Amino acid sequence: MSRREPAALLPVPAARLIGFVLLAALGAAEWARMVAGLPLSRPLLWVALGAATGAAIWACERLPRRWAPVGRAAALVAGLALAFPAAG
């Protein structure tokens, strides 16, 4: 008799991305609290950019197998291009 595992509530990449965003937001809030004069909005912008980059990389799974690595590389480059100006 085979035992059936329960269905997952979320796809694994979505669960990982949500966990990353929550932990990164907590870390950013704690870090902003320790740095004098740094508003909370700036570190949360960094978290949002990281989440957007992660979501773009995850979305590349829908691309044809041949184009998925190109899409991931493009998402990585776009994320870095947005991160550098946001970091100041």
Side-chain angles (χ1 to χ4, degrees):
M1 181 186 272
S2 66
R3 194 170 175 166
R4 234 176 88 154
E5 295 291 323
L9 296 176
L10 292 171
V12 173
R16 288 179 180 161
L17 187 60
I18 290 170
F20 163 75
V21 169
L22 292 175
L23 286 173
L26 176 65
E30 288 295 318
W31 187 71
R33 189 176 60 88
M34 291 188 286
V35 177
L38 182 68
L40 181 59
S41 60
R42 193 164 184 185
L44 289 181
L45 172 65
W46 302 336
V47 172
L49 289 173
T53 303
I57 291 172
W58 178 33
C60 290
E61 288 183 2
R62 296 182 179 192
L63 292 174
R65 178 173 256 199
R66 179 178 174 196
W67 292 102
V70 175
R72 287 186 195 106
L76 175 67
V77 170
L80 287 173
L82 292 172
F84 281 117

